[in-house]
Amino acid sequence: MALTAAGALAAGMALFMTAPAAAGTTLGASAAEKGRYFGTAVAGFKLSDSAYTTILNREFNMVTAENEMKMNATEPQQGQFSYGAADQIVNHARSRGMSVRGHTLAWHSQQPGWMESMSGSALRSAMLNHVTQVATHFRGQVVAWDVVNEAFADGSSGARRDSNLQRTGNDWIEAAFRAARAADPGAKLCYNDYNTDNWTHAKTQGVYNMVRDFKQRGVPIDCVGFQAHFNNDSPYVSNFRTTLSSFAALGVDVQITELDIQGASANTYRSVVEDCLAVARCNGITVWGIRDSDSWRASQTPLLFNNNGSKKPAYDAVLAALNNGTTPTDPPTDPPTDPPTDPPTTPPPGPGGCTATVSVNQWTGGFVANVRVTAGSSALNGWTVTIALPSGATVTNAWSANRSGNTGTTNWTNVAYNGQVGAGQFTEWGFQANGTAGSLTPTCSAR
Ligand code: G2I
């Protein structure tokens, strides 16, 4: 006993005395040690600038094309797609082990001229075709898409922004997300916006309510991007962490997608990094450019490197914050913060049954199944769906449902936010699989 205890103690001591993992010496490596990425916007025409690429290749492990994947760049004439500049950035990144965030499939701004003058159902179909074509082109090459960018209005309304896309119908955003999921089922699908950092702002609450509604109804959204362009008119506020954790509690990942800070205060940069590290589902930070001279707001000197490529104090603060940070916990431990909106109501318990229907999008070698669970005459407090897959079909990825089994008979149950379905109402979820779906006949029962 004594020997065993001593042995255990010695082993414990040895563990205790083992030096912690060496602190990373670059932004990307330090973020990776914390299970996150650190990215930057990249302008394709700067890839021939060796001072620029030296920093890019050394420091970052995620890349966003600053302009090259926007609608005007990728479909300059209707039906004629142009991917050269974007492909160059994607190839530069991926050949060096960096990942790519796609930015952006649908936006009121930077539309090609032919699209700006469109409206109604013609515009809706052109937008959906654009989403499908571009997401298909980059399938397997981007880890996440800003599917829709900046669709909410500034100011106190908390409403959607008026635009030609919005005027095609309020469901344009969810239609874009469904098209993106069908085209690239492996990519995380994000909504991205600015001035959504302050939890008390109406715009933040408007986006929050949309994401909550999407999750409840099974619209395929995986993540929310917070641009975090901080400046004197729109400063960093300490409730940013509440914003991140409140969105994460809806069941989405959150990312800081376009960070820059007027004046580049080291303390403010440190706070932003600490806010992300405090939220388990905040899985990455991207700065909007490398050197101050690369910034869309160069005169505000908002970035981590100065014009000659030297590290600024903000760089040191970010690196230190990354190295001091905690590793993510899973599941997220951040308590949900009550939004200043209606309290959720608990539907009456009921034994009512449910039905499940499935729609399949098949391509050679794989398919996506979108499943709709509809409550019968009583509300559901939970559901189970069983789907028999034909031989050769294997589930690789799923959203908005828990699964048991990847082949043969698969069983699926609700996740936390979509078990309660009102009488006659429905919720949607789905999965991606290899193989051929054939005709799937799901069965549903209440739990
Ligand atoms: O405006 C800052 C960012 C806000 N969130 C969405 C981002 O996509 C946006 O990025 C900026 C780019 O940094 C700018 O570089 O988006 C602007 C508009 O798309 C970009 O500016 C454009 C100019 O308006 C064009 O005149 C110019 O040809 O950059 C183009 C390429 O340099």
Side-chain angles (χ1 to χ4, degrees), residues 66-67 70 103 107 110 149-150 227 229 258 288 296:
E66 187 172 358
N67 290 299
K70 292 174 181 175
H103 173 80
W107 190 17
Q110 303 299 117
N149 195 42
E150 301 176 0
Q227 295 184 6
H229 292 294
E258 304 183 13
W288 205 241
W296 69 300

Side-chain angles (χ1 to χ4, degrees), residues 60-134:
F60 298 96
N61 54 10
M62 177 71 78
V63 158
T64 305
E66 187 172 358
N67 290 299
E68 293 78 355
M69 288 190 193
K70 292 174 181 175
M71 300 178 102
N72 57 356
T74 49
E75 196 178 357
Q77 304 299 327
Q78 186 169 16
Q80 292 178 18
F81 291 85
S82 156
Y83 297 117
D87 285 343
Q88 190 196 1
I89 293 175
V90 170
N91 293 339
H92 181 98
R94 283 170 48 81
S95 66
R96 291 166 177 80
M98 307 174 201
S99 300
V100 179
R101 283 188 102 263
H103 173 80
T104 174
L105 294 171
W107 190 17
H108 68 276
S109 181
Q110 303 299 117
Q111 292 181 1
W114 60 267
M115 185 180 275
E116 283 176 333
S117 58
M118 285 181 102
S119 63
S121 59
L123 173 60
R124 174 66 69 93
S125 346
M127 180 273 286
L128 292 176
N129 182 55
H130 180 88
V131 170
T132 300
Q133 296 295 328
V134 177

Side-chain angles (χ1 to χ4, degrees), residues 340-381:
T341 48
D342 311 328
T345 52
T346 310
C354 52
T355 53
T357 54
V358 62
S359 69
V360 170
N361 177 24
Q362 178 81 53
W363 62 87
T364 309
F367 63 93
V368 163
N370 282 299
V371 185
R372 174 178 288 201
V373 169
T374 305
S377 54
S378 310
L380 295 171
N381 274 328

